[in-house]
Amino acid sequence: MIPACLSDDFILCPEREDISAEFTRLLTAAQEGGATIAECLMIARQLKRGDEQSWHREWKKLAQANRHRAEAAFTEGHMVTAQRNWLRAMNYYGAAAMPLDPADERRWVAVLAMQECARRFLTARAPAGEVVTIPWIEGHSLQGYFLPAPATNGRAPTVICIGEPGHRKEEFLVKLAPHARERGFSMLALDLLGDERDDYLDVLLQRRDIESSIASAMDYLELRSDVDFDRVAIVADGWGSSFVARAVLQEPRFAAAVCDGGLWDLHERSFFASRFAMSDLSIVPVPHAPLMASGAECPVLITLGEDGWLEADRAQQIVQKSRLGSSDVVLKVFTAAETGAAQAHADNPSLANEYIFDWLESQFGAAGKRI
């Protein structure tokens, strides 16, 4: 946890856990180029006690400074510096938007600025990325960023990266894209919000079929001439539900998947059974059968921090007792001693993502041998 008191004059909102978590995210993003530690500490010193609005104000100001540096570097032909500054500006705009109410116009302005920085980053990248629109449900489309693999001749293995229903895809350009690029993968960074404001989340959460979005993404990738469709995987980042696991259960076209494997559905099932003292778990409502109970058609990796929401011992018991059959389900638990042990590996996402993308690389190699 970041220390609350930074000096006698400045304090890092100790009463706001969300802000402390966001500050931790920004510090860990520095490992992948999404921030600088010096800038983060500078902002922390400038946050004023009792003035929560200072968080939005200071991060927006810093985002604008990085954005101006990016534009200047781009004009002068310095593409690497432009990309670095656009990524930092994008991340800082996201931080500025985070604590504001979804109905606050300033939040939407910050989100639009964040997305513009992402688009500018894609144009400066080599090979250039694309903003893609993917039809999903009537009246609403998915939006994604497609980042082609570097120096590929023909079709490349591809990873879909998606977060929870209210999560925005821009963070993946910092957090996951470097790992995909270094291994020669293309990446589709995706979110469910599309071009809607954050309060559209309420509409999404009323749907019982959000996992159908993944099939739409697969339909899109199948039509691309630069995607090796025999080697497409999905990574569910920061899972707190099992909608991706349910999608994997219904989608036979994946070569590999990184998700919670249905653990969250099983956890909720157990909670309701305990809450209502039900001995017959079959009558406890769950949206779909857990992936592990029914078996997936592709290898599945579940990563977990021992200090996360779900106890590691409990997760291991569920995996061991589930009807795996011939399913290839791997559980990796990160301990506090190695870091990456927090929920969603928030304390060291780089370590977890190295493991995840190494595992994907192994699965893609195995898939390649079967072709």
Side-chain angles (χ1 to χ4, degrees):
M1 228 16 174
I2 305 302
C5 293
L6 298 170
S7 72
D8 292 335
D9 299 319
F10 303 105
I11 193 166
L12 190 60
C13 301
E15 71 282 2
R16 292 286 300 273
E17 292 186 8
D18 57 340
I19 284 181
S20 292
E22 179 68 1
F23 191 77
T24 299
R25 185 192 71 80
L26 288 161
L27 284 178
T28 57
Q31 298 173 170
E32 306 289 0
T36 70
I37 292 176
E39 286 178 322
C40 290
L41 295 179
M42 176 187 70
I43 295 300
R45 289 192 296 270
Q46 292 172 349
L47 297 177
K48 291 182 169 46
R49 183 177 316 207
D51 179 11
E52 291 189 0
Q53 297 303 315
S54 66
W55 174 275
H56 169 76
R57 185 172 59 249
E58 297 301 334
W59 286 112
K60 180 181 176 182
K61 186 188 305 181
L62 182 59
Q64 291 170 333
N66 278 265
R67 187 177 184 177
H68 292 155
R69 282 199 300 267
E71 296 292 348
F74 183 80
T75 299
E76 296 170 5
H78 303 305
M79 295 299 148
V80 173
T81 297
Q83 290 178 63
R84 287 175 176 269
N85 279 274
W86 269 319
L87 282 179
R88 292 198 295 269
M90 178 194 73
N91 222 12
Y92 296 154
Y93 277 123
M98 187 277 302
L100 300 177
D101 187 271
D104 192 322
E105 188 65 22
R106 294 174 301 166
R107 180 175 180 131
W108 184 236
V109 169
V111 167
L112 290 176
M114 174 183 70
Q115 293 177 338
E116 178 59 23
C117 289
R119 291 183 174 93
R120 296 290 282 153
F121 164 78
L122 293 178
T123 62
R125 186 181 180 271
E130 307 171 38
V131 180
V132 301
T133 300
I134 301 173
W136 177 26
I137 54 180
E138 185 177 356
H140 180 70
S141 297
L142 305 172
Q143 189 180 85
Y145 301 136
F146 186 83
L147 285 68
T152 57
N153 294 317
R155 300 174 181 267
T158 302
V159 180
I160 299 172
C161 300
I162 190 167
E164 286 304 297
H167 190 102
R168 290 202 176 269
K169 62 193 171 296
E170 283 72 27
E171 185 181 345
F172 301 147
L173 299 182
V174 172
K175 189 176 181 180
L176 301 179
H179 297 278
R181 183 184 181 92
E182 289 164 357
R183 291 164 178 81
F185 303 165
S186 294
M187 188 181 91
L188 175 62
L190 198 64
D191 63 38
L192 301 183
L193 289 168
D195 59 3
E196 299 285 349
R197 296 181 181 231
D198 290 331
D199 54 9
Y200 189 71
L201 174 61
D202 294 336
V203 177
L204 290 174
L205 293 179
Q206 293 174 14
R207 298 193 62 88
R208 298 177 59 85
D209 63 343
I210 57 174
E211 60 269 18
S212 66
S213 59
I214 306 303
S216 296
M218 289 295 281
D219 291 343
Y220 165 77
L221 290 178
E222 192 169 19
L223 297 176
R224 291 192 64 108
S225 61
D226 54 355
V227 170
D228 181 350
F229 201 66
D230 290 307
R231 293 189 290 174
V232 175
I234 187 166
V235 173
D237 183 68
W239 57 269
S241 73
S242 294
F243 92 93
V244 171
R246 297 194 296 270
V248 172
L249 186 61
Q250 301 168 23
E251 179 53 74
R253 295 176 288 179
F254 282 118
V258 182
C259 60
D260 83 327
L263 282 175
W264 198 255
D265 277 353
L266 285 167
H267 176 69
E268 289 185 333
R269 190 181 181 91
S270 176
F271 170 79
F272 282 118
S274 174
R275 182 73 178 268
F276 297 104
M278 293 178 177
S279 58
D280 183 2
L281 294 185
S282 65
I283 64 175
V284 179
V286 178
H288 297 276
L291 183 153
M292 288 187 297
S294 302
E297 296 192 24
C298 69
V300 176
L301 172 64
I302 304 168
T303 68
L304 196 68
E306 70 172 358
D307 295 333
W309 299 339
L310 199 59
E311 291 184 3
D313 290 345
R314 175 60 178 152
Q316 289 171 333
Q317 290 173 4
I318 292 173
V319 172
Q320 290 169 358
K321 293 181 180 179
S322 61
R323 299 193 307 273
L324 297 180
S326 61
S327 298
D328 184 6
V329 178
V330 177
L331 173 64
K332 164 62 177 175
V333 178
F334 288 85
T335 66
E338 62 184 323
T339 71
Q343 176 64 24
H345 314 296
D347 55 327
N348 193 351
S350 296
L351 183 69
N353 289 328
E354 286 171 357
Y355 185 95
I356 287 169
F357 278 82
D358 283 349
W359 182 84
L360 289 174
E361 191 171 37
S362 298
Q363 301 309 312
F364 282 155
K369 294 175 183 177
R370 292 196 296 268
I371 296 171

